[in-house]
C-alpha cells in the first residue's frame, strides 16, 4: 500500500517559431535549417514534461494570425515565441493579444558562435534571432503586454534552465488559476494576521475558495466503514513510525477522519485545504478538529496541502511550493538558537511527509497546546540541505506579495513534543534574520520547502504580477 500522488494536469505550452518569408527565395537553405532548429526546440520543450501545442513555423502576418487562433483555441498556460531569425513584430503580436497567456520570447542561435571566415549572408541569418528581440519588446511594451525573454544557443543548458524555470512557473500559475481551495471551520480567535479577505484570492491569484462547514466532514466520517479504517491504519503504519504514546482509540479515530477527509477533498475537487474549529467539551466537532492531523499530513504528501489554524494564505503557499517540487510544510517560528546560529521552525499538526529527513513519527498527545482536543500528532524535521521559507503577504492595498528567504536545514537537538521542527541556518545572526523576516509583513505561518527556490518564485511572481520581498 502506497501514497498515490494526486494527478495534476501538465503545463500546456503554445510554441510558435518564425522568420521573415522574404528570405526564403533568396537563401534556399535557410528555412530548412530554421525548421530543424524549431523541431529541436519543440523536442526539448516536451522533455521539460509539458504538453506542447506546436503552431508551426510562420513567415508572415497572415500565418501569424492563423497561429494565434490555433493557440487561442488550445487554452495555453504559456506562449513561447521562437525568434529563429529576423521577423516583424506584426507576426507575433496577435499571438500574444488573442491567447491572453504569459509570453516568453526565446532567441536560440544554432551554436555558440558563427564561423566568421566561411559564413555567407544566408548562414549569418540563422544566427540573427537577437535582431528582432528589441522590436518585439518595444511593440509588446507599447501594447501593454508583459513579456520575458531568454537568449542563448540551441544546446545552451544555462538558457534551457531559465526556460525550464518559466515553464514551471507557468504551470504553477495555471494551477492557481484553476485551483479550488477549501476553507473549513472558522478563524482561530484573535489571529488577526491570519485573516484573509477571500475576494483577494481570485483577484490576485485566480481560482476559487470553497467555504466549508465541519459538518461537511462529519457526514462523510460517519459513513466510513471499519474495513476502511483498518486499511488506513495499515497505511499509516507503513508511512509512520508509531511512538508508544499513541493510544489505540486515538489512532483509530484519526484513521477514520482521514478517510472522510479524502472523500471531502474528492467531492469538492479541492486542491488545498485550510481548517480550524475550536469545539467544546469533547463534542463531535472538537473531536473532528483534533483528529485531522494524520489525514491532513497524508493529503499534503499526496499534493493536496492542508494547513491548520484557518491559514488560507499558507495553504496556498504550500500548494505553490508543492507544485514547484519543493514540498512545502506548515511552519512558524519556534525558538532561536543563538549558541548554534540556527532558527528553529516548524508547527504542530499537519506536515509534508515527502520532505522529511527520516521516517516521520506519530506521537500521542494528551492535550494539543493552544487548541482543544487530543490525539496523534506528527514529528519530524525537513530533509537536511538547501531550503526556502516562502509565504504570501496580504498588503494594505489589497494586493498579495511573496516573502522569500533561502537557507540550509542542519542537524541539531530537537524537542520531542509531537511537532515538526527544523533547524535552519540562514547564514546570519538568527535574531537579525527574525527581525528582517517579520518586517516583510508575513503572517506568523509560512511554507518551508526543499531546495533554493528564490529564482523560481521570482519567475512566478513575474507571471502573477506580484511583488517579491527577499530576506
Amino acid at each position: 500500500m502506497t501514497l498515490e500522488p494526486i494527478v495534476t494536469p501538465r503545463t500546456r505550452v503554445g510554441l510558435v517559431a518564425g522568420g521573415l518569408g522574404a528570405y526564403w527565395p533568396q537563401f534556399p537553405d535557410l528555412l530548412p535549417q530554421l525548421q530543424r532548429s524549431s523541431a529541436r526546440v519543440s523536442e526539448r520543450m516536451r522533455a521539460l514534461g509539458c504538453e506542447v501545442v506546436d503552431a508551426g513555423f510562420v513567415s508572415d502576418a497572415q500565418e501569424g494570425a492563423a497561429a494565434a487562433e490555433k493557440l487561442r483555441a488550445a487554452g495555453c498556460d504559456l506562449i513561447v515565441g521562437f525568434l529563429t531569425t529576423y521577423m516583424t513584430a506584426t507576426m507575433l503580436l496577435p499571438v500574444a493579444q488573442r491567447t491572453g497567456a504569459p509570453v516568453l520570447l526565446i532567441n536560440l542561435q544554432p551554436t555558440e558562435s558563427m564561423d566568421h571566415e566561411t559564413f555567407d549572408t544566408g548562414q549569418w541569418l540563422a544566427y540573427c534571432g537577437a535582431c528582432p528581440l528589441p522590436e518585439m519588446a518595444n511593440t509588446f511594451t507599447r501594447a501593454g503586454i508583459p513579456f520575458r525573454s531568454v537568449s542563448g544557443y540551441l544546446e545552451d543548458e544555462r538558457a534551457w534552465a531559465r526556460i525550464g524555470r518559466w515553464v514551471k512557473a507557468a504551470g504553477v500559475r495555471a494551477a492557481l488559476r484553476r485551483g479550488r481551495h477549501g476553507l473549513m471551520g472558522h478563524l482561530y480567535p484573535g489571529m488577526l494576521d491570519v485573516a484573509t479577505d477571500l475576494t483577494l484570492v481570485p483577484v490576485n491569484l485566480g481560482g476559487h475558495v470553497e467555504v466549508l462547514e465541519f459538518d461537511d466532514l462529519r457526514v462523510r466520517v460517519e459513513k466510513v466503514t471499519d474495513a476502511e479504517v483498518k486499511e488506513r491504519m495499515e497505511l499509516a503504519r507503513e508511512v509512520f513510525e508509531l511512538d508508544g504514546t499513541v493510544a489505540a482509540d486515538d489512532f483509530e479515530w484519526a484513521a477514520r477522519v482521514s478517510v472522510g477527509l479524502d472523500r471531502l477533498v474528492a467531492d469538492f475537487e479541492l486542491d488545498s485545504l485550510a481548517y480550524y474549529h475550536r469545539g467544546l467539551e469533547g463534542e463531535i466537532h472538537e473531536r473532528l478538529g483534533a483528529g485531522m492531523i494524520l489525514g491532513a499530513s497524508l493529503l499534503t504528501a499526496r499534493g493536496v496541502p492542508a494547513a491548520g489554524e484557518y491559514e488560507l494564505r499558507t495553504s496556498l503557499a504550500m500548494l505553490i511550493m508543492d507544485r514547484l517540487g519543493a514540498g512545502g510544510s506548515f511552519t512558524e517560528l519556534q525558538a532561536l538558537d543563538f549558541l548554534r546560529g540556527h532558527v528553529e521552525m516548524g508547527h504542530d499538526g499537519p506536515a509534508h511527509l515527502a520532505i522529511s529527513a527520516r521516517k516521520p513519527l506519530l506521537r500521542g498527545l494528551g492535550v494539543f497546546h493552544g487548541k482543544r482536543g487530543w490525539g496523534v500528532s506528527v514529528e519530524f524535521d525537513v530533509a537536511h540541505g538547501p531550503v526556502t521559507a516562502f509565504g504570501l503577504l496580504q498588503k494594505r492595498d489589497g494586493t498579495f506579495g511573496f516573502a522569500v528567504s533561502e537557507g540550509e536545514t542542519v542537524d541539531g537537538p530537537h524537542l520531542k513534543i509531537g511537532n515538526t521542527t527544523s533547524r535552519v541556518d540562514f547564514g546570519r545572526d538568527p535574531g537579525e534574520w527574525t527581525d528582517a523576516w517579520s518586517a516583510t509583513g508575513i503572517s506568523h505561518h509560512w511554507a518551508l520547502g526543499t531546495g533554493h527556490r528564490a529564482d523560481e518564485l521570482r519567475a512566478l511572481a513575474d507571471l502573477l504580477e506580484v511583488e517579491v520581498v527577499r530576506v
Side-chain angles (χ1 to χ4, degrees):
M1 193 182 303
T2 58
L3 281 173
E4 293 295 333
I6 302 296
V7 178
T8 56
R10 289 192 299 163
T11 306
R12 182 172 294 173
V13 174
L15 176 63
V16 56
L20 188 66
Y23 295 148
W24 314 150
Q26 295 176 318
F27 309 101
D29 294 332
L30 178 59
L31 179 58
Q33 179 182 1
L34 301 182
Q35 288 173 326
R36 288 192 297 272
S37 292
S38 178
R40 177 58 177 155
V41 166
S42 183
E43 179 183 30
R44 290 213 58 165
M45 293 295 296
R46 289 185 172 89
L48 295 174
C50 55
E51 175 189 349
V52 177
V53 181
D54 195 335
F57 199 99
V58 301
S59 301
D60 54 34
Q62 294 93 324
E63 291 179 358
E69 192 58 26
K70 178 178 180 178
L71 298 180
R72 181 200 63 77
C76 299
D77 303 319
L78 178 72
I79 297 297
V80 176
F82 179 22
L83 313 180
T84 65
T85 185
Y86 176 74
M87 57 190 297
T88 60
T90 192
M91 295 162 65
L92 278 190
L93 180 61
V95 176
Q97 289 175 319
R98 297 184 195 180
T99 59
V103 176
L104 171 65
L105 303 175
I106 61 173
N107 153 44
L108 301 177
Q109 62 188 40
T111 64
E112 292 176 270
S113 176
M114 293 186 292
D115 184 345
H116 297 77
E117 292 298 322
T118 64
F119 271 26
D120 60 19
T121 302
Q123 291 168 303
W124 154 63
L125 286 172
Y127 284 73
C128 201
C131 180
L133 183 55
E135 178 175 338
M136 300 296 173
N138 174 282
T139 303
F140 281 24
T141 299
R142 290 164 69 182
I145 298 173
F147 70 95
R148 55 288 308 160
S149 65
V150 173
S151 292
Y153 57 94
L154 205 55
E155 304 299 339
D156 183 350
E157 296 306 323
R158 292 174 300 176
W160 278 106
R162 293 170 61 200
I163 292 169
R165 195 179 301 148
W166 287 116
V167 170
K168 187 180 289 187
V172 178
R173 176 183 179 272
L176 293 169
R177 285 286 190 268
R178 57 176 169 256
R180 289 177 53 82
H181 313 295
L183 190 60
M184 184 170 69
H186 61 79
L187 186 70
Y188 190 107
M191 286 187 179
L192 300 181
D193 63 322
V194 167
T196 298
D197 181 340
L198 302 190
T199 304
L200 295 183
V201 174
V203 167
N204 283 277
L205 306 177
H208 167 75
V209 178
E210 184 74 14
V211 177
L212 302 167
E213 304 286 351
F214 256 76
D215 284 322
D216 291 314
L217 176 61
R218 174 185 59 79
V219 296
R220 289 164 173 82
V221 170
E222 289 171 350
K223 296 176 182 178
V224 175
T225 67
D226 291 343
E228 290 172 321
V229 172
K230 182 180 178 181
E231 184 180 15
R232 186 54 52 96
M233 293 172 73
E234 291 173 356
L235 172 62
R237 288 189 181 97
E238 293 179 13
V239 174
F240 295 92
E241 176 186 346
L242 266 64
D243 187 73
T245 56
V246 174
D249 289 348
D250 293 345
F251 184 30
E252 181 179 339
W253 175 247
R256 189 175 298 275
V257 173
S258 175
V259 176
L261 193 55
D262 281 3
R263 289 180 180 165
L264 179 83
V265 166
D267 290 346
F268 287 96
E269 301 178 342
L270 301 181
D271 297 291
S272 69
L273 175 67
Y275 67 90
Y276 175 76
H277 188 86
R278 182 176 58 189
L280 289 169
E281 304 301 332
E283 49 83 42
I284 185 62
H285 299 95
E286 179 183 324
R287 293 190 63 216
L288 287 168
M292 290 281 290
I293 295 173
L294 172 63
S297 296
L298 292 173
L299 275 174
T300 301
R302 294 172 59 209
V304 181
E309 297 182 7
Y310 214 62
E311 242 297 14
L312 175 59
R313 294 199 306 282
T314 298
S315 61
L316 292 168
M318 291 165 64
L319 178 68
I320 289 169
M321 291 296 269
D322 182 85
R323 297 303 186 264
L324 287 175
S329 203
F330 191 34
T331 307
E332 67 184 1
L333 291 170
Q334 293 180 328
L336 306 181
D337 190 335
F338 291 96
L339 179 64
R340 298 172 179 83
H342 302 160
V343 178
E344 296 180 65
M345 58 174 68
H347 210 284
D348 62 316
H352 202 306
L353 308 177
I355 60 172
S356 175
R358 55 184 172 83
K359 190 171 186 178
L361 178 77
L362 271 187
R363 185 180 295 280
L365 299 178
V367 62
F368 291 149
H369 80 266
K371 304 177 184 68
R372 296 191 63 87
W374 63 93
V376 297
S377 191
V378 175
E379 189 175 290
F380 78 79
D381 63 324
V382 169
H384 298 171
V387 290
T388 302
F390 166 62
L392 282 179
L393 307 171
Q394 179 175 310
K395 297 189 288 185
R396 190 173 184 178
D397 64 0
T399 60
F400 282 177
F402 287 1
V404 181
S405 188
E406 294 179 336
E408 304 278 332
T409 47
V410 296
D411 198 12
H414 292 87
L415 295 172
K416 297 177 175 61
I417 59 173
N419 281 22
T420 63
T421 304
S422 296
R423 290 180 161 271
V424 187
D425 184 349
F426 288 102
R428 61 189 296 187
D429 176 82
E432 292 179 358
W433 181 88
T434 300
D435 290 337
W437 183 246
S438 301
T440 65
I442 190 74
S443 74
H444 75 282
H445 301 119
W446 51 88
L448 184 66
T450 55
H452 284 165
R453 307 287 176 169
D455 289 341
E456 294 173 352
L457 290 166
R458 185 176 290 109
L460 176 60
D462 180 272
L463 299 187
L464 294 172
E465 298 182 45
V466 301
E467 180 186 4
V468 178
V469 182
R470 185 171 181 181
V471 174

